Amino acid sequence: MSHEQIIDRVFGLYERFGASDYIGEPVSQIEHMSQAAERAMAEGFDDEVVLAAFFHDIGHLCAEGAENMGGYGVVSHERLGADYLREAGFSERMARLVEYHVQAKRYLTLKEPGYYERLSEASRRTLAYQGGVMTAAEAQAFEQDPLCTVSLRMRQWDELAKETAVPLIDLQLLRRKAFGVLSGQVC
């Protein structure tokens, strides 16, 4: 499959399902993903991180028929999304960032006082399906991962990417970034 075909397939998920409600939040899937990617770009992160921010919840879109988290999306969406991106040919780094956005929530719930209380109702409800609050041992292991810091940043973008009436990012720009990443021309 060519890079163009891969990009068409991946972005096709957003064309088909992007207008769907972002489970329990005041924005659509595409609005949520767009805002997360814009935050990554605004902070000057590289294309893989920007795309990981955009794709972080792709597991909700690519896993038709998967087990549901009590009406709040797909169980293991972070792993399913990461696996989908790996199979499509995206980098391991990008796939792990997608996978780690849930680990970051579990970590912050343990480490940051008041974090749980600041989570949206949907994020609180899904935490139990996602393994709950991290243990101290899990947190220590997560802290050793080279992607820990950017994963925590991504989690913050995820939490903030729920604003209404924010214009969508230029999807053609993201498609060009995806082409560059797939062809090894990461910026």
Side-chain angles (χ1 to χ4, degrees), residues 22-151:
Y22 178 59
I23 310 106
E25 304 291 356
V27 293
S28 69
Q29 292 279 352
I30 191 74
E31 289 169 324
H32 176 64
M33 310 286 200
S34 172
Q35 290 177 35
E38 284 187 307
R39 289 181 179 280
M41 284 177 44
E43 291 186 28
F45 279 88
D46 65 67
D47 289 351
E48 282 186 326
V49 174
V50 170
L51 289 168
F54 183 73
F55 293 143
H56 78 274
D57 278 339
I58 198 168
H60 290 303
L61 308 181
C62 70
E64 289 184 69
E67 185 182 351
N68 192 285
M69 291 187 288
Y72 290 97
V74 174
V75 172
S76 299
H77 76 281
E78 71 282 5
R79 183 185 47 77
L80 295 169
D83 289 346
Y84 178 84
L85 293 170
R86 283 181 187 104
E87 291 167 16
F90 287 98
S91 72
E92 181 61 21
R93 177 178 178 245
M94 201 169 98
R96 285 179 51 216
L97 286 170
V98 167
E99 196 160 8
Y100 285 0
H101 82 278
V102 166
Q103 296 307 315
K105 176 168 84 170
R106 296 180 62 228
Y107 175 87
L108 288 168
T109 305
L110 172 70
K111 291 287 191 167
E112 190 175 300
Y115 180 77
Y116 179 82
E117 289 74 23
R118 290 191 308 272
L119 288 173
S120 69
E121 182 63 25
S123 287
R124 288 183 200 168
R125 289 184 179 235
T126 58
L127 183 62
Y129 289 95
Q130 296 165 335
V133 177
M134 261 190 187
T135 66
E138 287 173 321
Q140 186 175 27
F142 187 59
E143 289 166 350
Q144 301 307 309
D145 193 294
L147 295 177
C148 178
T149 301
V150 72
S151 297

Side-chain angles (χ1 to χ4, degrees), residues 123-181:
S123 287
R124 288 183 200 168
R125 289 184 179 235
T126 58
L127 183 62
Y129 289 95
Q130 296 165 335
V133 177
M134 261 190 187
T135 66
E138 287 173 321
Q140 186 175 27
F142 187 59
E143 289 166 350
Q144 301 307 309
D145 193 294
L147 295 177
C148 178
T149 301
V150 72
S151 297
L152 295 175
R153 214 47 224 125
M154 269 189 54
R155 185 67 210 178
Q156 291 171 335
W157 303 328
D158 184 5
E159 293 301 330
L160 295 170
K162 299 172 184 176
E163 296 180 32
T164 57
V166 175
L168 291 182
I169 196 168
D170 177 3
L171 293 182
Q172 292 305 315
L173 171 67
L174 292 179
R175 289 174 71 97
R176 287 191 299 274
K177 288 181 180 298
F179 185 85
V181 167

